Amino acid sequence: MERKKYHPEGILIQKVQSGEYGWKEYIEHHSKELNDEYENYCKFHAYDPNEEESAAKFMEMKEVELEEAFETENV
């Protein structure tokens, strides 16, 4: 079984901002939990988890969730 290497959030953000990573790589290297959530999201919406567009839609959804949590002070 292949073991994935996860990176700290700061490194992932730097890699996305520099263009080294897209959102798909960001998700892959973030955490098992985010990978699992992304996989379920793609299954639910019938998206291809290998496409950058699917990863971008997922990250947009996560951003909305975070904003809503801040608005309701549930963070």
Side-chain angles (χ1 to χ4, degrees), residues 23-39:
W23 288 121
K24 173 117 178 47
E25 292 86 5
Y26 174 94
I27 294 166
E28 287 177 0
H29 295 285
H30 188 277
S31 65
K32 180 179 181 338
E33 293 80 15
L34 195 65
N35 275 276
D36 291 346
E37 188 176 349
Y38 176 61
E39 183 178 316

Side-chain angles (χ1 to χ4, degrees), residues 15-55:
K15 288 181 179 278
V16 169
Q17 289 176 340
S18 74
E20 183 179 345
Y21 279 5
W23 288 121
K24 173 117 178 47
E25 292 86 5
Y26 174 94
I27 294 166
E28 287 177 0
H29 295 285
H30 188 277
S31 65
K32 180 179 181 338
E33 293 80 15
L34 195 65
N35 275 276
D36 291 346
E37 188 176 349
Y38 176 61
E39 183 178 316
N40 290 330
Y41 172 86
C42 286
K43 284 180 185 177
F44 181 80
H45 292 285
Y47 293 152
D48 182 348
N50 296 311
E51 291 184 2
E52 182 65 22
E53 183 178 345
S54 300

